[in-house]
Amino acid sequence: MTLPTTAPLTRGGTRLLAPLFALCLLAITACDDSNTLAIEPPPPEPEFLPVAEPAVEMPPAIGEAVLISTSFDLAGQGYVQEEFFLSGTASAFTNLNELGSDGYWEAEPGATADYRTRVLVYRPADAADFSGTAVVEWLNVTNGFDVPAGWGVGHVEALRRGHAWVNVTAQRVGIEGLEDAVLPLNLRDADPERYESLDHPGDSFSYDIFTQVTAAIRAEDGGILGDLRADVLLATGESQSASRLLTYINAIQPLYNAYDGFIVDSRYDSSQPLAQEPQVAIPAPERVLFRDDLETPVINFQAETDVIALGAVDERQPDSDFFRLWEVTGSAHNDNYQLVAGRDDVGVGAEKALVVENDLILGIFACDRPINSGPYPWVYMAALNALDNWVRTGEPAPEAGRMAVTDDQADFQYDDVGNVVGGLRTPYVDAPAARLSGEINAGLVGCRLSGTTTLFDAATMATRYVDRDGYVEAVAEATDAAVEAGYLLPEDAQRIKAAAGLQWDALSP
């Protein structure tokens, strides 16, 4: 007898069932002549490899932790920041079958190497405020240094629920940097003395390093969460990190079952190699799907940029019992909240929900056109909430529509103001005050994948909504619909509704 998909709860990386419930579901298969019932035993629990527990040390009392992150005071939100060095022996992996597009990859541990890396932990100061959920982020290193893209858009949800957030320097570039990096913010260059002892053997070992972090979180002596005890571990990663998580889900998660759920944020049209030089390279195929035989919930969170410009339209796959694809209409791979406005957001006020035209990233790097300021953060927070709930209760995240594309999949289909048709809908595109796109921008660091925003003028607003009340009502109606669908959280909906009047005033003075 198959157990319903709403039954499981995950703790400690192993899917559990209440013993009494499991006994009740034993199948009665036959009766012999003596009326003795023959009971079919439950299927054996899957066997997973043990996760090695790394050594945990505090960094030397030199300098401060290096990470471009949010700018508000964590202590003022009841949180503490702690940096740790993790060290141990990690494995690279070899494949046991051909790495096919279906994601059904078989792998085993291979060569080993010593490593020493860092994690930066944000957690509630008071154990009573801890939700029990730790979000573990594979930091993005595309620009040659660590970037916590997930924390950048999801921190308000983490703070209000009491989640811990573990930022992991999983890749070598985070420590050693790139030769052509615009900013020398890799750990070795940013603070040579503090990070002198760090040593990464190469990205073939990154998957096992990311796995071993879970053992440091769940360590019986408290580990890197101090006196907090996590019962749910959610992994997240954006862009390049998302593609590494895709490889992780297909090849590594089946071996260890170390994580309870995944948000794979803005993957592009391929997966990262299972191994690479100086190890024997094991490249991924050109087209890769998520394997669909794991009972680990996955939300693949995609912006407009990812679908067409970065080619992920070719990797679309149907939703299933443990997979959801959310294509967020009106969003970009990077956006104004993540790069600018959200850095000091603690969840108060309506201003952060405004659609604005801003062409400066971090107030420094100029883009050719104003970057996207659409629904990305608000939907990401709903995804984080839905994934946590999915793991804890078995209730799957909502399904969402796909963005409408042309027959040759070379472009989207657009509505009368130039916004994309279909996809996951929010008031940003159903009661729009701008054309919001994920199309390629140009300019300095970060501009290319940050999309565009083109605000409507007063005449356009008046034509669509007549007056301020009409616009406020339209936003409220579209917002309520998105909350009902599970794409926005009520707390964020209040901010979006409150921003509507401010938006009208700004566009129709």
Side-chain angles (χ1 to χ4, degrees), residues 338-412:
Q338 180 191 76
L339 298 172
V340 184
R343 298 187 68 243
D344 61 354
D345 186 19
V346 294
V348 177
E351 292 80 6
K352 302 300 183 184
L354 287 170
V355 179
V356 299
E357 288 186 343
N358 168 53
D359 61 3
L360 289 179
I361 293 177
L362 299 178
I364 302 172
F365 304 110
C367 302
D368 284 7
R369 293 178 289 170
I371 64 177
N372 185 284
S373 60
Y376 187 131
W378 318 109
V379 180
Y380 184 93
M381 287 189 268
L384 181 57
N385 183 276
L387 182 65
D388 189 47
N389 183 64
W390 193 351
V391 170
R392 291 184 175 278
T393 70
E395 179 183 358
E399 296 187 19
R402 307 299 189 250
M403 296 181 198
V405 298
T406 56
D407 290 343
D408 61 1
Q409 299 191 142
D411 199 0
F412 295 109

Side-chain angles (χ1 to χ4, degrees), residues 65-405:
V66 173
L67 188 66
I68 295 181
S69 186
T70 44
S71 58
F72 57 83
D73 179 24
L74 280 169
Q77 303 304 311
Y79 269 62
V80 297
Q81 171 184 291
E82 293 179 317
E83 188 174 39
F84 300 94
F85 288 176
L86 304 187
S87 60
T89 301
S91 295
F93 294 89
T94 59
N95 57 313
L96 298 176
N97 68 344
E98 182 179 354
L99 303 187
S101 294
D102 61 4
Y104 281 69
W105 299 351
E106 296 179 16
E108 66 178 3
T112 60
D114 293 339
Y115 75 90
R116 186 177 179 83
T117 192
R118 71 87 181 255
V119 296
L120 189 64
V121 177
Y122 306 142
R123 64 173 179 85
D126 188 339
D129 296 331
F130 181 43
S131 67
T133 294
V135 182
V136 186
E137 178 164 6
W138 189 307
L139 294 173
N140 181 280
V141 295
T142 298
N143 289 315
F145 50 87
D146 287 334
V147 175
W151 172 257
V153 290
H155 61 272
V156 168
E157 170 65 6
L159 293 171
R160 64 190 170 203
R161 307 300 174 199
H163 300 337
W165 202 284
V166 181
N167 300 284
V168 182
T169 299
Q171 292 178 251
R172 180 177 172 85
V173 168
I175 298 171
E176 303 295 343
L178 296 171
E179 289 185 6
D180 57 350
V182 175
L183 297 173
L185 293 176
N186 60 291
L187 300 182
R188 186 81 71 206
D189 289 337
D191 195 330
E193 291 184 279
R194 184 177 179 88
Y195 298 112
E196 179 182 12
S197 68
L198 298 188
D199 184 26
H200 197 298
D203 286 356
S204 297
F205 301 89
S206 62
Y207 304 110
D208 197 27
I209 291 172
F210 194 69
T211 300
Q212 290 187 27
V213 171
T214 67
I217 294 171
R218 290 187 167 119
E220 293 184 0
D221 61 358
I224 60 176
L225 295 188
D227 59 350
L228 307 185
R229 296 293 179 268
D231 53 12
V232 168
L233 299 188
L234 306 178
T236 189
E238 190 255 3
S239 192
Q240 180 188 159
S241 300
S243 291
R244 297 201 80 88
L245 281 185
L246 172 56
T247 296
Y248 187 97
I249 290 165
N250 285 343
I252 313 303
Q253 177 71 2
L255 298 177
Y256 299 98
N257 201 35
Y259 287 95
D260 300 311
F262 296 86
I263 293 183
V264 180
D265 177 11
S266 288
R267 64 160 293 197
Y268 36 83
D269 65 344
S270 64
S271 178
Q272 293 293 311
L274 181 62
Q276 57 203 80
E277 294 182 353
Q279 309 302 309
V280 175
I282 307 174
E286 193 170 303
R287 178 177 184 267
V288 181
L289 304 179
F290 292 87
R291 64 187 303 155
D292 60 8
D293 63 336
L294 298 182
E295 295 187 359
T296 305
V298 175
I299 297 177
N300 180 200
F301 187 100
Q302 297 289 84
E304 280 185 25
T305 318
D306 311 316
V307 177
I308 296 293
L310 297 183
V313 66
D314 294 328
E315 277 73 27
R316 283 174 163 175
Q317 66 188 90
D319 291 344
S320 61
D321 287 347
F322 292 94
F323 176 79
R324 292 290 184 269
L325 174 59
W326 282 15
E327 294 182 351
V328 185
T329 307
S331 64
H333 191 85
N334 308 311
D335 82 334
N336 187 66
Y337 184 96
Q338 180 191 76
L339 298 172
V340 184
R343 298 187 68 243
D344 61 354
D345 186 19
V346 294
V348 177
E351 292 80 6
K352 302 300 183 184
L354 287 170
V355 179
V356 299
E357 288 186 343
N358 168 53
D359 61 3
L360 289 179
I361 293 177
L362 299 178
I364 302 172
F365 304 110
C367 302
D368 284 7
R369 293 178 289 170
I371 64 177
N372 185 284
S373 60
Y376 187 131
W378 318 109
V379 180
Y380 184 93
M381 287 189 268
L384 181 57
N385 183 276
L387 182 65
D388 189 47
N389 183 64
W390 193 351
V391 170
R392 291 184 175 278
T393 70
E395 179 183 358
E399 296 187 19
R402 307 299 189 250
M403 296 181 198
V405 298

